[in-house]
Amino acid sequence: MRCDAGVMGARRHVSVWAWVVPVLLATHAVCFSPQFAAPVSNVTVARGRDAKFTCLVKHLGGYRVGWVKADTKAIQAIHTHVITHNPRVHVSFDDHSTWHLLIRQVTEEDQGPYMCQINTDPMTSQLGYLEVLRPPEIDDNLSSGDVVVTEGEPAVLRCVASGHPQPTITWVREDNENIMMNDGLVTKPVRTWEGEELKLQRVSRDDMSAYLCIARNTVPPQVSKRVVLHVHFHPVIHVPNQLIGSPYGRDVTLECKVEAAPKPVTFWSNKQGEMLMSTDKYQVSEVHNKPGGYAVRMRLTIKDLTAADIGKYSCVAKNSIGEVDSNINVYYIPPPTTTPPRLPNFVETNRVDSDDFDVIPVDPNDNIDHIFEGSGDEAKRQPPFPPTSEGGSYLSGTGIWHPENSEVDSNAVGVDGLSSSSSSSSSSSSSSANSVSYSRARKERCDLVAVLMWGVLSLALRGEIMARWH
């Protein structure tokens, strides 16, 4: 009986361990199997830099850690051994709990998901993503080179860039002038323009310049491309002075302002049509407003002007669009005098002083009974002016004025016009009054004629003086 009891006890003991051991083993597997202590972080680096992934593991025990590029299934490393043939890939660890995957000088091909694995059954893993940033790059094959258009036509400048993140494109003029943008209705100046394409409507010569497209993103450095816009147009000549006068012996400079694109061929010619070059007699030069600009100043200097140099000179400009010329006339002017001539008083004051004329006294006994009008045979005798405004008449054959209502003795006047002795006193007084009145009338007529003559002379002198000064 005791033996049976012992056997039964042993059997119970074995049955207890039969279920306890698996439980203990399962508990150990759960509590001490390999586990990730933290997730694998994503890595972002610029192209050419080093990227490093870190994988933290607990209770690794006899298990191993591996690295795989998840998108291509390419094994990078297992435990401490590098499997890939990429010489830029390295692995390292710290105390079997911290495992590192290092990729040196990353490229765009290295971008993607990377997996940290533990070879448990089933396998456990974590993912981290490598993002490779690229600075901007301009694609010359897809971007514009120099653009050539005719004035009045539209122009499109294109700039294509790549990078990560995608870069933005900004257009500016190299000379810092405004860009003239037209939306079809309104033209407005802008300092910058964003976009791959810069569209200019109806370009003019003022739009001709070098344009810069600048590509930038968060990764330095930014890059730029230079695109030159050439606007072709017919030559135009502006002449500041088409008439140039100078005394002999002096140097004379002629100037023409030319605008043309492409760059024109320019030259000077004389009145015989001969092309003029720089010699001892002529000096030919050109001055550009700015380097590479479409405007140029043509200058011709004629040294020591002589009579043979007087005449027409032509400035000529021609390019592939057309040809134009303009004329300048050179003429002689006498040198100015050192002291200008003094003008008479009547020119300065426009009046005549009575003191400039002498009054000629008239003898009462003089028989001045007429004046002459006309000349030659047309002259005819006329009686003098009446002494007063009162009514009266001349006595026939005498030229003496007789007032109205006065008594006249027909016998008092002889054939030769002499008065009788009885009326000598009254005749003398009447003749004296007539002489004084006639002298006054004659002086007024002389004054009027003198004023007219001096006026005509003044106008003639003024015209001559003005002609000499100009």
Side-chain angles (χ1 to χ4, degrees):
M1 293 294 294
R2 288 182 179 179
C3 184
D4 293 339
V7 172
M8 294 296 293
R11 288 178 177 179
R12 285 195 298 268
H13 182 72
V14 171
S15 62
V16 170
W17 280 105
W19 65 267
V20 170
V21 170
V23 172
L24 292 176
L25 290 176
T27 304
H28 181 272
V30 172
C31 296
F32 298 99
S33 62
Q35 297 178 1
F36 292 108
V40 177
S41 300
N42 295 329
V43 178
T44 301
V45 294
R47 184 181 60 183
R49 301 295 182 88
D50 296 342
K52 186 176 184 180
F53 287 101
T54 299
C55 186
L56 301 177
V57 181
K58 296 188 301 181
H59 312 303
L60 181 61
Y63 294 95
R64 294 172 178 257
V65 174
W67 293 95
V68 178
K69 195 169 188 300
D71 56 351
T72 61
K73 307 299 181 181
I75 300 175
Q76 304 296 304
I78 296 177
H79 214 56
T80 59
H81 302 286
V82 176
I83 303 302
T84 181
H85 296 291
N86 189 344
R88 296 180 290 107
V89 176
H90 303 273
V91 291
S92 61
F93 64 94
D94 298 329
D95 299 332
H96 288 79
S97 61
T98 304
W99 296 82
H100 304 287
L101 175 66
L102 178 64
I103 306 174
R104 297 185 182 277
Q105 299 179 354
V106 298
T107 64
E108 289 84 350
E109 290 75 15
D110 298 326
Q111 180 171 291
Y114 286 81
M115 182 184 298
C116 177
Q117 295 179 340
I118 302 175
N119 62 339
T120 57
D121 188 16
M123 181 191 67
T124 57
S125 64
Q126 283 187 333
L127 284 175
Y129 192 87
L130 173 60
E131 182 179 12
V132 180
L133 302 180
R134 292 185 297 117
E137 292 181 350
I138 296 177
D139 191 337
D140 290 332
N141 294 327
L142 300 178
S143 301
S144 299
D146 290 353
V147 178
V148 179
V149 296
T150 303
E151 191 172 32
E153 296 180 351
V156 178
L157 282 61
R158 182 176 293 104
C159 183
V160 179
S162 61
H164 185 74
Q166 181 64 32
T168 59
I169 305 296
T170 303
W171 291 91
V172 297
R173 280 183 61 151
E174 189 178 52
D175 55 7
N176 293 323
E177 296 292 334
N178 288 329
I179 301 175
M180 304 306 295
M181 299 301 299
N182 190 313
D183 58 1
L185 297 176
V186 179
T187 299
K188 61 179 180 179
V190 296
R191 298 296 297 177
T192 62
W193 181 261
E194 292 191 358
E196 286 190 352
E197 290 187 347
L198 176 63
K199 297 181 179 180
L200 303 175
Q201 304 293 333
R202 301 188 63 182
V203 297
S204 69
R205 63 196 67 181
D206 295 330
D207 296 319
M208 183 162 31
S209 178
Y211 292 79
L212 299 177
C213 77
I214 303 171
R216 59 167 66 91
N217 60 9
T218 57
V219 185
Q222 66 181 21
V223 291
S224 63
K225 178 179 176 63
R226 187 173 184 263
V227 180
V228 179
L229 175 62
H230 300 278
V231 181
H232 288 181
F233 59 93
H234 194 282
V236 178
I237 294 181
H238 305 278
V239 180
N241 192 354
Q242 291 185 323
L243 292 174
I244 297 179
S246 173
Y248 293 142
R250 297 186 181 180
D251 294 349
V252 178
T253 299
L254 287 60
E255 182 177 287
C256 291
K257 300 177 182 178
V258 180
E259 294 182 0
K263 183 179 179 181
V265 176
T266 59
F267 60 90
W268 290 90
S269 62
N270 57 15
K271 56 188 175 182
Q272 288 81 23
E274 301 170 343
M275 184 182 298
L276 302 179
M277 309 295 290
S278 291
T279 60
D280 294 338
K281 181 63 178 178
Y282 304 106
Q283 180 179 351
V284 179
S285 63
E286 288 186 356
V287 178
H288 291 269
N289 288 356
K290 57 182 179 180
Y294 57 82
V296 61
R297 291 176 180 265
M298 300 173 56
R299 288 177 180 169
L300 171 66
T301 300
I302 306 173
K303 301 177 182 178
D304 190 16
L305 185 70
T306 63
D309 301 323
I310 300 301
K312 181 185 71 174
Y313 293 83
S314 300
C315 54
V316 184
K318 60 172 65 177
N319 64 7
S320 59
I321 307 297
E323 178 180 350
V324 68
D325 62 74
S326 188
N327 300 325
I328 299 177
N329 287 288
V330 178
Y331 64 94
Y332 167 76
I333 58 174
T337 57
T338 56
T339 56
R342 183 178 179 275
L343 301 179
N345 291 336
F346 64 86
V347 175
E348 299 176 357
T349 62
N350 199 23
R351 62 185 178 86
V352 179
D353 296 333
S354 60
D355 296 338
D356 295 338
F357 302 96
D358 295 331
V359 178
I360 302 174
V362 178
D363 188 351
N365 296 322
D366 291 341
N367 185 18
I368 303 175
D369 58 351
H370 64 273
I371 61 173
F372 290 94
E373 292 183 357
S375 60
D377 297 335
E378 298 178 356
K380 58 182 178 179
R381 300 173 62 88
Q382 295 290 345
F385 289 100
T388 64
S389 60
E390 297 176 355
S393 61
Y394 286 97
L395 295 182
S396 176
T398 65
I400 300 175
W401 179 262
H402 188 271
E404 188 178 1
N405 299 326
S406 60
E407 295 180 356
V408 178
D409 187 356
S410 59
N411 296 323
V413 180
V415 176
D416 55 357
L418 299 177
S419 61
S420 63
S421 58
S422 61
S423 57
S424 60
S425 60
S426 60
S427 297
S428 297
S429 60
S430 176
S431 177
S432 176
N434 290 337
S435 298
V436 173
S437 298
Y438 173 75
S439 177
R440 184 183 298 110
R442 182 174 181 272
K443 182 178 182 302
E444 290 176 355
R445 277 205 168 190
C446 289
D447 290 348
L448 179 60
V449 172
V451 169
L452 293 176
M453 292 179 62
W454 281 112
V456 173
L457 181 61
S458 170
L459 292 176
L461 288 176
R462 180 177 299 179
E464 179 66 17
I465 293 171
M466 294 300 290
R468 288 180 176 272
W469 278 103
H470 289 283

Coordinates of all heavy atoms in Angstrom, one line a residue, residues 303-363:
K303 N 38.1 120.5 -89.4 CA 39.1 121.4 -88.8 C 39.5 122.6 -89.8 O 39.6 122.4 -91.0 CB 40.4 120.6 -88.5 CG 40.2 119.4 -87.6 CD 41.4 118.6 -87.4 CE 41.2 117.4 -86.4 NZ 42.4 116.6 -86.3
D304 N 39.7 123.7 -89.2 CA 40.1 124.9 -90.0 C 39.2 125.1 -91.2 O 39.6 125.0 -92.3 CB 41.5 124.8 -90.4 CG 42.1 126.1 -90.9 OD1 41.5 127.1 -90.7 OD2 43.2 126.0 -91.6
L305 N 37.9 125.5 -90.9 CA 36.9 125.7 -92.0 C 37.4 126.7 -93.0 O 37.9 127.8 -92.7 CB 35.6 126.2 -91.3 CG 34.4 126.3 -92.3 CD1 34.0 124.9 -92.7 CD2 33.3 127.0 -91.6
T306 N 37.2 126.2 -94.3 CA 37.6 127.1 -95.4 C 36.4 127.2 -96.4 O 35.3 126.5 -96.1 CB 38.8 126.5 -96.2 OG1 38.4 125.2 -96.7 CG2 40.0 126.4 -95.3
A307 N 36.5 128.0 -97.4 CA 35.4 128.1 -98.4 C 35.1 126.8 -99.1 O 33.9 126.5 -99.5 CB 35.7 129.2 -99.4
A308 N 36.1 125.9 -99.3 CA 35.9 124.6 -99.9 C 35.1 123.7 -99.1 O 34.5 122.7 -99.6 CB 37.2 124.0 -100.3
D309 N 35.0 123.9 -97.8 CA 34.3 123.1 -96.8 C 32.8 123.4 -96.7 O 32.0 122.7 -96.1 CB 34.9 123.1 -95.4 CG 36.3 122.7 -95.4 OD1 36.7 121.8 -96.2 OD2 37.1 123.3 -94.7
I310 N 32.4 124.5 -97.3 CA 31.0 125.0 -97.2 C 30.1 124.0 -98.1 O 30.5 123.7 -99.2 CB 30.8 126.4 -97.7 CG1 31.7 127.3 -96.8 CG2 29.4 126.8 -97.7 CD1 31.3 127.3 -95.3
G311 N 29.0 123.6 -97.5 CA 28.1 122.7 -98.3 C 27.4 121.7 -97.5 O 27.3 121.8 -96.2
K312 N 26.9 120.6 -98.1 CA 26.1 119.6 -97.5 C 26.9 118.4 -97.1 O 27.8 118.0 -97.8 CB 25.0 119.2 -98.4 CG 24.0 118.1 -97.8 CD 23.0 117.6 -98.9 CE 23.7 116.8 -99.9 NZ 22.7 116.2 -100.9
Y313 N 26.6 117.9 -95.9 CA 27.3 116.7 -95.3 C 26.1 115.7 -94.9 O 25.1 116.2 -94.4 CB 28.2 117.0 -94.2 CG 29.4 117.8 -94.6 CD1 29.3 119.2 -94.7 CD2 30.6 117.2 -94.8 CE1 30.4 119.9 -95.1 CE2 31.7 117.9 -95.2 CZ 31.7 119.3 -95.3 OH 32.8 120.0 -95.7
S314 N 26.4 114.4 -95.1 CA 25.4 113.4 -94.8 C 25.9 112.4 -93.8 O 27.1 111.9 -94.0 CB 24.9 112.7 -96.1 OG 24.4 113.6 -97.0
C315 N 25.1 112.0 -92.8 CA 25.4 110.9 -92.0 C 24.5 109.8 -92.4 O 23.3 109.9 -92.6 CB 25.1 111.3 -90.5 SG 23.5 112.0 -90.1
V316 N 25.1 108.6 -92.5 CA 24.4 107.4 -93.1 C 24.5 106.3 -92.1 O 25.5 106.0 -91.4 CB 25.0 107.0 -94.4 CG1 24.2 105.8 -95.0 CG2 25.0 108.2 -95.4
A317 N 23.4 105.5 -91.9 CA 23.3 104.3 -91.0 C 22.6 103.2 -91.7 O 21.5 103.5 -92.3 CB 22.7 104.6 -89.7
K318 N 23.1 102.0 -91.8 CA 22.4 100.9 -92.4 C 22.7 99.6 -91.6 O 23.7 99.4 -91.0 CB 22.9 100.7 -93.8 CG 24.4 100.5 -94.0 CD 24.8 100.2 -95.4 CE 24.6 101.3 -96.3 NZ 25.0 101.0 -97.7
N319 N 21.6 98.8 -91.6 CA 21.8 97.4 -91.0 C 21.0 96.5 -91.8 O 20.5 96.8 -93.0 CB 21.3 97.4 -89.5 CG 19.9 97.8 -89.3 OD1 19.1 97.9 -90.3 ND2 19.5 97.9 -88.1
S320 N 20.7 95.2 -91.3 CA 20.0 94.2 -92.1 C 18.5 94.6 -92.3 O 17.9 94.0 -93.2 CB 20.1 92.9 -91.4 OG 19.6 92.9 -90.1
I321 N 18.0 95.5 -91.5 CA 16.6 95.9 -91.6 C 16.4 97.0 -92.7 O 15.4 97.0 -93.4 CB 16.0 96.3 -90.3 CG1 16.3 95.2 -89.2 CG2 14.5 96.6 -90.3 CD1 15.6 93.9 -89.5
G322 N 17.3 97.9 -92.8 CA 17.1 99.0 -93.7 C 18.3 100.0 -93.6 O 19.3 99.8 -93.0
E323 N 18.1 101.1 -94.3 CA 19.1 102.2 -94.4 C 18.4 103.5 -94.3 O 17.3 103.7 -94.8 CB 19.9 102.1 -95.7 CG 20.9 103.1 -95.9 CD 21.7 103.0 -97.2 OE1 21.5 101.9 -97.9 OE2 22.4 103.9 -97.6
V324 N 19.1 104.5 -93.7 CA 18.6 105.9 -93.6 C 19.8 106.8 -93.6 O 20.9 106.5 -93.2 CB 17.8 106.0 -92.3 CG1 18.7 105.9 -91.0 CG2 17.0 107.3 -92.2
D325 N 19.5 108.1 -94.0 CA 20.5 109.1 -94.0 C 19.9 110.4 -93.7 O 18.7 110.6 -93.8 CB 21.3 109.2 -95.3 CG 20.4 109.6 -96.5 OD1 20.0 110.7 -96.6 OD2 20.1 108.7 -97.3
S326 N 20.7 111.4 -93.2 CA 20.2 112.7 -93.0 C 21.3 113.7 -93.3 O 22.5 113.4 -93.3 CB 19.8 112.9 -91.5 OG 19.2 114.1 -91.2
N327 N 20.9 115.0 -93.7 CA 21.8 116.0 -94.2 C 22.0 117.1 -93.1 O 21.1 117.5 -92.4 CB 21.3 116.6 -95.5 CG 21.2 115.5 -96.6 OD1 22.0 114.6 -96.6 ND2 20.2 115.7 -97.4
I328 N 23.2 117.7 -93.2 CA 23.5 118.9 -92.4 C 24.2 119.8 -93.3 O 25.2 119.4 -94.0 CB 24.4 118.5 -91.2 CG1 23.7 117.5 -90.2 CG2 24.8 119.8 -90.4 CD1 24.6 117.1 -89.1
N329 N 23.8 121.1 -93.3 CA 24.4 122.1 -94.2 C 25.3 123.0 -93.4 O 24.9 123.5 -92.3 CB 23.3 122.9 -94.9 CG 22.6 122.2 -96.0 OD1 23.1 121.9 -97.0 ND2 21.3 121.8 -95.7
V330 N 26.5 123.2 -93.9 CA 27.5 124.1 -93.3 C 27.6 125.4 -94.1 O 27.8 125.3 -95.3 CB 28.8 123.4 -93.1 CG1 29.9 124.4 -92.5 CG2 28.7 122.1 -92.3
Y331 N 27.5 126.5 -93.5 CA 27.5 127.8 -94.3 C 28.4 128.8 -93.5 O 28.8 128.6 -92.3 CB 26.1 128.4 -94.5 CG 25.4 128.8 -93.2 CD1 25.5 130.1 -92.7 CD2 24.7 127.9 -92.4 CE1 24.9 130.5 -91.5 CE2 24.1 128.2 -91.3 CZ 24.2 129.5 -90.8 OH 23.5 129.9 -89.6
Y332 N 28.8 129.8 -94.3 CA 29.8 130.8 -93.7 C 29.0 131.9 -93.1 O 28.0 132.4 -93.6 CB 30.7 131.3 -94.8 CG 31.5 132.5 -94.4 CD1 32.6 132.5 -93.6 CD2 31.1 133.8 -94.9 CE1 33.3 133.6 -93.2 CE2 31.8 134.9 -94.5 CZ 32.9 134.8 -93.7 OH 33.5 136.0 -93.3
I333 N 29.5 132.4 -92.0 CA 29.0 133.6 -91.4 C 30.2 134.5 -91.0 O 31.2 133.9 -90.6 CB 28.1 133.4 -90.1 CG1 28.9 132.6 -89.0 CG2 26.8 132.6 -90.5 CD1 28.1 132.4 -87.7
P334 N 30.1 135.8 -91.2 CA 31.3 136.6 -90.9 C 31.5 136.7 -89.4 O 30.5 136.5 -88.6 CB 30.9 138.0 -91.5 CG 29.4 138.0 -91.5 CD 29.0 136.6 -91.8
P335 N 32.7 136.9 -88.9 CA 32.9 136.9 -87.5 C 32.3 138.2 -86.9 O 32.2 139.2 -87.6 CB 34.4 137.0 -87.4 CG 34.9 137.5 -88.7 CD 33.9 137.0 -89.7
P336 N 31.8 138.1 -85.7 CA 31.1 139.3 -85.1 C 32.1 140.4 -84.8 O 33.3 140.1 -84.5 CB 30.5 138.7 -83.8 CG 31.4 137.5 -83.5 CD 31.8 136.9 -84.8
T337 N 31.7 141.6 -84.9 CA 32.5 142.8 -84.6 C 32.7 142.9 -83.2 O 31.9 142.5 -82.4 CB 31.9 144.1 -85.2 OG1 30.6 144.2 -84.7 CG2 31.8 144.0 -86.7
T338 N 33.8 143.6 -82.8 CA 34.1 143.8 -81.3 C 33.1 144.8 -80.7 O 32.7 144.6 -79.6 CB 35.5 144.2 -81.1 OG1 35.8 145.4 -81.9 CG2 36.5 143.2 -81.6
T339 N 32.8 145.9 -81.5 CA 31.8 146.8 -80.9 C 30.7 147.0 -81.8 O 30.9 147.3 -83.0 CB 32.5 148.2 -80.7 OG1 33.0 148.6 -82.0 CG2 33.6 148.1 -79.7
P340 N 29.5 146.7 -81.4 CA 28.3 146.8 -82.3 C 28.1 148.3 -82.7 O 28.4 149.2 -81.9 CB 27.2 146.2 -81.5 CG 27.6 146.4 -80.1 CD 29.1 146.2 -80.1
P341 N 27.6 148.6 -83.9 CA 27.3 150.0 -84.3 C 26.2 150.6 -83.4 O 25.3 150.0 -83.0 CB 26.8 149.8 -85.7 CG 26.3 148.4 -85.8 CD 27.2 147.6 -84.9
R342 N 26.4 151.9 -83.2 CA 25.5 152.7 -82.3 C 24.3 153.1 -83.2 O 24.5 153.7 -84.3 CB 26.2 153.9 -81.7 CG 25.3 154.7 -80.8 CD 26.0 155.9 -80.2 NE 25.2 156.7 -79.3 CZ 24.4 157.6 -79.7 NH1 24.3 157.9 -81.0 NH2 23.6 158.3 -78.8
L343 N 23.1 152.8 -82.7 CA 21.9 153.2 -83.5 C 21.6 154.6 -83.2 O 21.9 155.2 -82.2 CB 20.8 152.3 -83.0 CG 21.0 150.8 -83.2 CD1 19.7 150.1 -82.6 CD2 21.2 150.5 -84.6
P344 N 21.0 155.3 -84.3 CA 20.6 156.7 -84.1 C 19.5 156.8 -83.0 O 18.9 155.9 -82.6 CB 20.1 157.1 -85.5 CG 20.7 156.1 -86.4 CD 20.8 154.8 -85.6
N345 N 19.4 158.1 -82.6 CA 18.4 158.4 -81.6 C 17.0 158.0 -81.9 O 16.2 157.4 -81.1 CB 18.4 159.9 -81.2 CG 19.7 160.2 -80.5 OD1 20.3 159.4 -79.9 ND2 20.1 161.5 -80.5
F346 N 16.6 158.1 -83.2 CA 15.3 157.9 -83.6 C 15.0 156.4 -83.6 O 13.9 155.9 -83.4 CB 14.9 158.4 -85.0 CG 15.7 157.8 -86.1 CD1 15.3 156.7 -86.7 CD2 16.9 158.4 -86.5 CE1 16.0 156.1 -87.8 CE2 17.6 157.8 -87.6 CZ 17.2 156.7 -88.2
V347 N 16.0 155.6 -83.7 CA 15.8 154.1 -83.6 C 15.6 153.7 -82.2 O 14.8 152.9 -81.9 CB 17.0 153.4 -84.2 CG1 16.9 151.9 -84.0 CG2 17.2 153.7 -85.7
E348 N 16.3 154.4 -81.3 CA 16.1 154.0 -79.9 C 14.9 154.6 -79.2 O 14.2 154.0 -78.4 CB 17.3 154.6 -79.1 CG 18.7 153.9 -79.6 CD 19.9 154.5 -78.9 OE1 19.6 155.5 -78.1 OE2 21.0 154.1 -79.1
T349 N 14.5 155.8 -79.7 CA 13.3 156.5 -79.0 C 12.1 156.5 -79.9 O 11.0 156.8 -79.3 CB 13.7 157.9 -78.7 OG1 14.0 158.6 -79.9 CG2 14.9 158.0 -77.8
N350 N 12.3 156.3 -81.2 CA 11.1 156.2 -82.1 C 10.4 157.5 -82.1 O 9.2 157.6 -82.2 CB 10.2 155.1 -81.8 CG 9.3 154.7 -82.9 OD1 9.6 155.0 -84.1 ND2 8.1 154.2 -82.6
R351 N 11.1 158.7 -82.0 CA 10.5 160.0 -82.1 C 11.5 161.0 -82.7 O 12.7 160.7 -82.8 CB 10.0 160.5 -80.8 CG 11.2 160.7 -79.8 CD 10.6 161.1 -78.4 NE 11.7 161.2 -77.4 CZ 12.4 162.3 -77.2 NH1 12.1 163.4 -77.9 NH2 13.3 162.4 -76.3
V352 N 11.0 162.1 -83.2 CA 11.8 163.1 -83.8 C 11.7 164.4 -83.0 O 10.6 164.9 -82.7 CB 11.4 163.4 -85.2 CG1 12.2 164.5 -85.9 CG2 11.5 162.1 -86.0
D353 N 12.8 165.0 -82.6 CA 12.8 166.3 -81.9 C 12.8 167.4 -82.9 O 13.5 167.4 -83.9 CB 14.1 166.4 -81.0 CG 14.1 165.3 -79.9 OD1 13.0 164.9 -79.6 OD2 15.2 164.9 -79.5
S354 N 12.1 168.4 -82.5 CA 11.9 169.6 -83.4 C 13.2 170.4 -83.5 O 13.4 171.1 -84.5 CB 10.8 170.5 -82.9 OG 11.1 171.0 -81.6
D355 N 14.1 170.1 -82.5 CA 15.4 170.9 -82.6 C 16.3 170.4 -83.7 O 17.3 171.0 -84.0 CB 16.1 170.8 -81.2 CG 15.3 171.4 -80.1 OD1 14.5 172.3 -80.4 OD2 15.5 171.1 -78.9
D356 N 16.0 169.2 -84.2 CA 16.8 168.6 -85.3 C 16.7 169.4 -86.6 O 17.4 169.1 -87.5 CB 16.5 167.1 -85.5 CG 16.9 166.3 -84.2 OD1 17.7 166.8 -83.5 OD2 16.3 165.2 -84.1
F357 N 15.7 170.2 -86.7 CA 15.5 170.9 -88.0 C 15.5 172.4 -87.7 O 15.1 172.9 -86.7 CB 14.1 170.6 -88.5 CG 13.9 169.1 -88.8 CD1 13.3 168.3 -87.8 CD2 14.4 168.5 -90.0 CE1 13.2 167.0 -88.0 CE2 14.2 167.2 -90.2 CZ 13.6 166.4 -89.2
D358 N 16.0 173.2 -88.8 CA 16.1 174.6 -88.7 C 14.9 175.2 -89.4 O 14.5 174.8 -90.5 CB 17.4 175.1 -89.4 CG 18.6 174.7 -88.6 OD1 18.5 174.5 -87.4 OD2 19.7 174.4 -89.2
V359 N 14.3 176.3 -88.8 CA 13.2 177.0 -89.4 C 13.8 178.1 -90.3 O 14.6 179.0 -89.8 CB 12.3 177.6 -88.4 CG1 11.1 178.4 -89.0 CG2 11.7 176.5 -87.5
I360 N 13.5 178.1 -91.5 CA 14.0 179.1 -92.5 C 13.1 180.3 -92.5 O 11.9 180.2 -92.8 CB 14.1 178.5 -93.9 CG1 15.0 177.2 -93.8 CG2 14.6 179.5 -94.9 CD1 15.1 176.5 -95.2
P361 N 13.5 181.5 -92.1 CA 12.7 182.7 -92.2 C 12.3 183.0 -93.6 O 13.0 182.8 -94.5 CB 13.5 183.8 -91.5 CG 14.9 183.3 -91.7 CD 14.9 181.8 -91.7
V362 N 11.1 183.6 -93.7 CA 10.6 184.0 -95.1 C 10.5 185.5 -95.1 O 9.9 186.1 -94.2 CB 9.2 183.3 -95.3 CG1 8.7 183.7 -96.7 CG2 9.4 181.8 -95.2
D363 N 11.0 186.0 -96.2 CA 10.9 187.5 -96.4 C 9.5 187.8 -96.9 O 9.0 187.2 -97.8 CB 11.9 187.9 -97.4 CG 12.0 189.5 -97.5 OD1 11.2 190.1 -96.9 OD2 12.9 189.9 -98.2

